[in-house]
Amino acid sequence: MYKKLFIPGPVPVHPDILAAMATPMIGHRTKEYAEMHERVTSGLQKILATEGKVFLATSSAFGVMEGAIRNLVGKRCANFCNGAFSDKWHNVTLRCGKQADAIRFDWGKPVTPEAVEQALSTGLYDSMTMIHNETSTGVMSPLPEIAEVMRKFPDVMFIVDTVSSMSALKIPVDELGIDSCIFGVQKAFALPPGLTIFTASDKALQRASTMEGRGYYFDFTEFAANDAKHNTPSTPCISQIFAMERQLERIFAEGLETRWARHRDMAEYTRQWLADRGFGLFPDREYCSLTLTCARNSRGVDLAGLKKGLAEIGFAFDDGYGKIKGETFRIAHMGDMTRHDLEELFSAIISIMPDLA
Ligand SMILES: Cc1ncc(COP(=O)(O)O)c(C=O)c1O
């Protein structure tokens, strides 16, 4: 049975997008593909507010997250870790055979500019990774303030995962000085998973060109060389690029400002609905994500039971991630979702647990 997704990715995909994915196939070494590739990457440049190159990779986000490590980490990497995905990125960095340190924050806390400054001032690092929106804990770290600190360390590669935030709020890649910004499309872009978008600054491409062992599939210099022909190093997920083209049209038709306001409104509405029922927020309010809310299970609800009950009536609900499963639960409000969708979920929750009315 189809369940309406309220998990933090993948999220529901609009029928127009599914229809775009059924477009008859074209060859990727054709003019037709190159023209579409160019339209898609220029649309993405507008959303990312970058004049730099935007690359399309056929993989989940972790493919490029690993690629960024192989291409950009030379001497040693500072992995800022404040949740499951950033912890995993540290582990991936080590698995790539790189020297790296995890700079840890308690789950539920953001990465702070002070900690970034302190770590990088040691002079040990030539690269750093951080996750803008830690999906496991619903924490959005203060990217502009961190970017301000990063200006003091121009030789340190600034590698940022915006997997669950890009397009839901303004993230101006050039203004923030991000060397490589990476995101999948199954979250705020509301596409099926399998396509990852990334940027590489001139500095990043220069560093990549000197790196041993960067492999082939995620070699940033291969992406740059192929991009000159509006193409990709190997066969791309063309159906998803059809879908992205359609989604970009939809995003621009809505307007970026309106899209950002809709995400903010849904986040505030969700937090209020939870607060009215006595549920606390897992992160401090000022660092709460705009794309998902991670709530404390302050009322000791049987979350596994609620998840099962919701599944039976057609809703996919998340009862917490990793070590905070059961103690927290997460509600996604991103992509094409509206307040109306959240109202539907909340009515469904009340139908199962009438005391939450
Ligand atoms: C913030 C963040 N980074 C990375 C990932 C991993 O993405 P993927 O499963 O597409 O490799 C996720 C997945 O949920 C995520 O939320």
Side-chain angles (χ1 to χ4, degrees):
M1 168 186 160
Y2 167 74
K3 290 194 259 320
K4 190 161 174 172
L5 302 175
F6 286 91
I7 56 172
V11 298
V13 178
H14 193 276
D16 282 4
I17 301 300
L18 296 174
M21 289 193 71
T23 307
M25 200 39 54
I26 57 173
H28 63 299
R29 303 296 185 208
T30 58
K31 186 163 172 278
E32 206 180 348
Y33 174 80
E35 285 170 358
M36 172 172 70
H37 186 104
E38 188 177 9
R39 287 193 298 274
V40 166
T41 51
S42 31
L44 289 165
Q45 279 176 316
K46 287 193 195 111
I47 296 179
L48 275 60
T50 182
E51 308 260 295
K53 299 286 180 213
V54 175
F55 302 120
L56 312 181
T58 297
S59 79
S60 89
F62 254 111
V64 181
M65 289 162 77
E66 173 168 331
I69 300 300
R70 291 187 185 275
N71 280 266
L72 304 179
V73 178
K75 190 170 66 171
R76 195 175 188 93
C77 185
N79 299 121
F80 292 90
C81 298
N82 64 331
F85 294 103
S86 39
D87 281 352
K88 185 166 159 183
W89 209 357
H90 173 57
N91 183 262
V92 167
T93 308
L94 297 176
R95 287 192 197 198
C96 290
K98 302 287 184 176
Q99 302 292 318
D101 297 304
I103 290 105
R104 295 193 189 279
F105 304 82
D106 289 341
W107 278 34
K109 298 291 177 199
V111 175
T112 63
E114 294 77 17
V116 171
E117 176 143 23
Q118 196 184 5
L120 301 188
S121 299
T122 61
L124 287 171
Y125 306 107
D126 66 357
S127 42
M128 73 87 104
T129 66
M130 65 167 281
I131 290 189
H132 174 221
N133 190 58
E134 236 312 341
T135 321
S136 58
T137 57
V139 170
M140 202 168 250
S141 290
L143 194 52
E145 286 84 344
I146 293 169
E148 209 42 55
V149 168
M150 289 305 294
R151 286 183 209 291
K152 299 184 194 168
F153 304 97
D155 297 331
V156 178
M157 286 294 148
F158 186 16
I159 312 170
V160 185
D161 161 326
T162 57
V163 169
S164 57
S165 53
M166 185 54 85
S167 90
L169 69 157
K170 187 174 181 184
I171 307 176
V173 168
D174 287 358
E175 198 180 306
L176 295 168
I178 300 175
D179 288 304
S180 187
C181 178
I182 304 164
F183 55 94
V185 297
Q186 73 273 27
K187 314 266 185 191
F189 271 90
L191 299 181
L195 169 66
T196 293
I197 315 296
F198 71 103
T199 66
S201 65
D202 289 345
K203 209 166 68 180
L205 289 174
Q206 172 56 32
R207 167 84 59 91
S209 70
T210 66
M211 293 296 293
E212 299 271 330
R214 60 184 190 272
Y216 166 71
Y217 195 71
F218 294 111
D219 179 348
F220 283 13
T221 69
E222 289 282 354
F223 276 90
N226 281 275
D227 183 76
K229 298 172 277 175
H230 305 299
N231 223 301
T232 50
S234 38
T235 316
C237 46
I238 298 171
S239 304
Q240 272 165 316
I241 300 171
F242 286 139
M244 177 59 97
E245 181 168 34
R246 181 71 191 100
Q247 188 63 320
L248 288 169
E249 286 165 10
R250 298 181 71 249
I251 290 174
F252 292 124
E254 180 182 18
L256 287 178
E257 300 275 351
T258 312
R259 182 179 184 78
W260 300 333
R262 175 168 56 79
H263 279 85
R264 180 165 290 284
D265 175 69
M266 289 192 295
E268 282 165 5
Y269 175 60
T270 304
R271 292 174 204 161
Q272 194 57 50
W273 189 88
L274 291 163
D276 290 347
R277 285 153 187 84
F279 292 104
L281 298 168
F282 187 63
D284 297 337
R285 201 177 177 90
E286 100 183 87
Y287 299 112
C288 276
S289 166
L290 292 176
T291 56
L292 73 141
T293 296
C294 183
R296 288 183 191 279
N297 185 12
S298 321
R299 294 184 54 159
V301 166
D302 167 15
L303 291 178
L306 178 60
K307 180 177 172 175
K308 187 162 173 283
L310 284 169
E312 282 162 9
I313 55 171
F315 295 86
F317 170 81
D318 177 274
D319 57 344
Y321 194 98
K323 67 183 185 190
I324 51 173
K325 196 180 183 68
E327 199 189 308
T328 60
F329 58 97
R330 301 178 302 166
I331 297 172
H333 31 76
M334 61 174 118
D336 291 330
M337 289 181 187
T338 61
R339 222 184 223 251
H340 177 73
D341 296 309
L342 293 164
E343 282 163 2
E344 222 187 301
L345 172 70
F346 297 152
S347 308
I349 292 177
I350 290 169
S351 75
I352 294 170
M353 308 194 71
D355 54 326
L356 290 182

